[in-house]
Amino acid sequence: MTAGNNGASKPEDDDPFGYLYADGQAAGAQAPGQGGYGYPGPAAQPGVPRTSYNQVRAVGERQYGQQQVPQQQGGYGYPPQQAYGQPAQQYNRPNPQYAAPETYPGGAAHGQPPAQGGHGGGTGRGGPNTKALLIAAVAVVAVVLIGIGAALLTGDDGDKDDKNNEASSSQGPAGEVEESKKPEKKPKETQKPVELPKQDAATLTLGGPATVESSIEGAQGGNGAYVTGFNHVGSSVTWRAEMKSDGEYRLAVRYAVPAKDADATLTVNGKKNSQPIGLKNFIKSSDPEWEKNWQTTWAPVTLQTGQNEIKLSCETGNQCEVILDWVEVTQATS
């Protein structure tokens, strides 16, 4: 068998970077020229067997849409060797393995990159659209103002509806308006007459020979009692009447006479009237029986608020043949 072909590389060339070191160069190491590790080998010749299968292309060697630039010979991961005295290679050139898409077939025209929006709010896809944000903010404010106006208008309409409902409630069938009921006039309460004092003569303070009896019929006092013996000078009945207000009143007296006239002296609060109170036979009776001659008379008096002393007495000059039933204060009439 024929020994296998190990290619053009020698043992000292096993280290692809040996040519970079002094000891490698002393041992005769040279930069690989026939497709060392990571580098392409020589082109195949017709009839000549291939000596190496290591045909891997270097990273970035293949380019699209651009003219192929031969890769400078250099070690793996290192820049190619520069001749002494030559200017250093510029490393800020575009790296071919990062070719932009526009360099591909069918890319952007003239090889110019597409425009991109910056952060300053341009028209590109990446930046915010300040005009759209401003329009949106204005729209939100407008919606809020419209809502407030609608709420105010709705409130006014609600008040109008309430008033319309109140008005419609007063309407009868078929839209007829019912007349509001007039308030019924309450009947005026008739003022109760002021209760004025009235008292049986038999309960009054008696003076002189005056006394109480109940033998004659027709008396209206309690148990038919009345005052008799009044026809003697010095006889009297005194009444202390309680009044609620000052004013002009009448003093009414119920009495009986034996079919002839009589009179008595009237004293009010210590003051004697200029005229005696008349106890006349007003019914013009001719029957001297006492029970058939009961009648009433009155005399004007001026009374004060509180207690008033009213006195009927038989004085000299009076005709006092009379019996007394009761006394009462009444309203004076004009």
Side-chain angles (χ1 to χ4, degrees):
M1 292 179 64
T2 305
N5 189 354
N6 293 328
S9 298
K10 296 189 289 259
E12 58 271 18
D13 294 332
D14 288 343
D15 184 358
F17 308 109
Y19 70 93
L20 297 176
Y21 307 105
D23 53 353
Q25 294 176 5
Q30 296 180 359
Q34 298 183 358
Y37 180 80
Y39 295 90
Q45 299 294 328
V48 179
R50 187 167 49 186
T51 60
S52 175
Y53 292 91
N54 190 3
Q55 299 297 329
V56 180
R57 289 182 179 273
V59 176
E61 180 179 357
R62 184 183 298 275
Q63 297 185 12
Y64 300 92
Q66 293 185 1
Q67 184 177 1
Q68 296 285 340
V69 179
Q71 177 68 32
Q72 295 293 330
Q73 189 175 8
Y76 177 77
Y78 290 88
Q81 184 71 29
Q82 300 293 329
Y84 181 76
Q86 292 183 357
Q89 183 179 0
Q90 300 296 325
Y91 292 96
N92 58 356
R93 291 185 300 173
N95 199 334
Q97 65 265 31
Y98 297 105
E102 63 270 15
T103 60
Y104 297 169
H110 305 292
Q112 294 187 3
Q116 295 183 355
H119 295 287
T123 58
R125 183 174 57 185
N129 194 333
T130 56
K131 182 181 292 185
L133 293 177
L134 179 59
I135 294 174
V138 172
V140 170
V141 174
V143 169
V144 172
L145 294 176
I146 292 173
I148 294 174
L152 295 176
L153 293 176
T154 303
D156 294 341
D157 293 340
D159 295 339
K160 293 178 180 178
D161 291 340
D162 293 340
K163 293 179 180 178
N164 292 334
N165 291 335
E166 293 178 359
S168 62
S169 64
S170 62
Q171 294 182 356
E176 295 180 0
V177 180
E178 296 180 357
E179 294 183 0
S180 59
K181 296 182 179 180
K182 297 180 180 180
E184 297 180 357
K185 294 183 179 180
K186 295 182 179 180
K188 293 183 179 180
E189 297 181 357
T190 57
Q191 295 182 351
K192 295 181 180 180
V194 179
E195 187 176 354
L196 297 175
K198 179 180 180 180
Q199 194 164 347
D200 295 340
T203 62
L204 301 179
T205 303
L206 304 180
T211 186
V212 175
E213 290 184 6
S214 59
S215 58
I216 299 175
E217 295 180 1
Q220 297 176 352
N223 298 323
Y226 56 88
V227 175
T228 188
F230 196 72
N231 57 342
H232 299 284
V233 174
S235 297
S236 66
V237 292
T238 302
W239 180 29
R240 288 177 175 83
E242 192 76 20
M243 299 301 297
K244 294 183 178 179
S245 60
D246 300 343
E248 299 297 325
Y249 297 92
R250 287 180 175 181
L251 177 65
V253 180
R254 187 172 189 265
Y255 64 97
V257 292
K260 59 180 180 180
D261 294 339
D263 60 23
T265 301
L266 175 62
T267 304
V268 178
N269 295 324
K271 182 179 180 180
K272 290 183 180 181
N273 278 12
S274 58
Q275 296 293 330
I277 181 171
L279 303 172
K280 295 181 179 181
N281 181 18
F282 291 108
I283 61 174
K284 304 299 182 180
S285 175
S286 58
D287 190 344
E289 297 294 332
W290 295 91
E291 63 270 11
K292 294 180 180 180
N293 293 286
W294 290 106
Q295 49 197 305
T296 60
T297 188
W298 63 270
V301 291
T302 301
L303 302 178
Q304 62 188 12
T305 303
Q307 194 175 78
N308 295 266
E309 184 179 270
I310 301 171
K311 182 180 178 181
L312 292 175
S313 62
C314 183
E315 304 292 340
T316 303
N318 293 133
Q319 301 294 325
C320 305
E321 192 174 1
V322 63
I323 59 176
L324 303 175
D325 188 12
W326 49 254
V327 289
E328 179 183 14
V329 175
T330 63
Q331 292 286 351
T333 58
S334 55

